[in-house]
Amino acid sequence: MKKVCFILILLFTINQVVSQNRNEKAFGNSIVFKSDILQEEREIQIFLPADYTKNSKKYPVLYVIDAQRYFLNGIVFQQNLAWREIAPEFIVVGINTDAVKRRNLFYKESSKFIRFLEKELIPDINTKYRTLDERIYFGWEMAAGLGIQLFANKPYLFNGFLLASPTHISRDRLEMVSKMLKQNAQDDLKLYATLGTVENWATESMSSLDSIFQKHPVKNIKWNYNLSDKENHYTTPLTTINEGLKLFFSDYGPIRFYSIKEFLDFGGIESLKKHYQTRGKKYHISEDIHSDTKHYLLLQAHKENNFKIFEELMPEIDGKTFIKNYYRQARWFRRFSGFYLDNNRLADALEILESGLHKFPNASMLHFAKGNYYKIKGNFKESRKWYKKAIQIARMNNEPELEKYTTEMKKQN
């Protein structure tokens, strides 16, 4: 009897696991979508960002054709980069396809599949989930050829098109693209296409497509064609998704300037404010200048010893409050207070030092820096007091700066 009960429990458990695996993937959920246009049921995979249920944010959406192969690629991209704010989190919608049916739906019956996207799937996703009007299409092979038709005939459906090894770029589709570009379309669109040089069956048609984009450039349409001798028919999806998403989200990550000249050529603080306002409106996030950009700018001004730019930046970015809240190491307070000291701005130097000491009361370098501050003011008694405290902390922690501190202290005696 016990053996029979055990077997029944085991069978029930296996059944539950199998049932669950049919409907839930390792990442996201799998749903069955009934399409009146296609006259069939389609398996659709949905991935929601980890914090989706914890906030009220809206998200961009990546639509992945042939999701049975490529669904995870979009997820991996954001898992690697979203935590560093290089790319936003986004919803991934995967459309699983049948190897036989796709050959008709992506070419001869492409208008039917496009209607399915436009009239059924996209509206349903927008109704059920918090989505932005930022949609990206990914397709490989025939699905990439379909993406070209979508771009030409329905440019409002997607803002980005990631096209891996496009095939079936027919004369009709080339004419559609040419006509669309000649009309000087107003939509802001980005396309990234990859083809391996070994894919000789598609190089001629893609060359023709590339020529059309070159002949009819449109300011708000970015076309990137990567004809690569390192890729083949089966590796292009990896490159296309990674590079294409980087292109599409190129305005999201914090800007870093590697010289003050680069910053000024960009347009200075006003252009920077405008960039982040546009970014904020697009992604429904803060319109403030990103904290990392503020850090890079202050750091670059210090590196180049450009106190004029540093001084101009500080009120624009509420610099003293930023320094107080952003930095988690005492050395930054020492660095910026020292920059003020070097430029005879004693009151500002003291304010930064006090802020740092409040945050890092046991940082010997800040006590030593305050000793330097009083030394410059000519108050040697107060200077020695702070040097003494720096030495005490450094000795207790066995810090290598101890010798430097004691040497300076001796000079004061």
Side-chain angles (χ1 to χ4, degrees), residues 104-105 113 160 175 179 200 254-255 274 276 339 345 349 360 394:
N104 281 326
L105 280 175
F113 193 80
E175 289 176 358
K179 181 180 178 181
N200 50 29
I255 296 177
K274 186 176 180 181
Y276 277 106
F339 201 28
R345 293 284 294 274
F360 306 100

Side-chain angles (χ1 to χ4, degrees), residues 67-78:
Q68 69 275 13
R69 293 193 185 96
Y70 306 119
F71 182 67
L72 291 179
N73 293 74
I75 299 171
V76 170
F77 178 89
Q78 63 180 295

Side-chain angles (χ1 to χ4, degrees), residues 14 22 27 53 60 74 109 114 120 125 129 224 256 261 264 268 274 280-281 288 292 337 340 345 371-372 374 398:
I14 292 172
R22 283 174 183 161
F27 293 94
T53 58
E109 299 180 7
I114 291 173
E120 293 183 328
I125 295 297
Y129 304 99
N224 286 261
R256 179 170 187 174
K261 181 181 183 303
L264 296 176
K274 186 176 180 181
K281 288 181 174 68
D288 293 339
D292 287 355
S337 66
Y340 274 123
R345 293 284 294 274
N372 289 337
Y374 281 111
N398 197 26

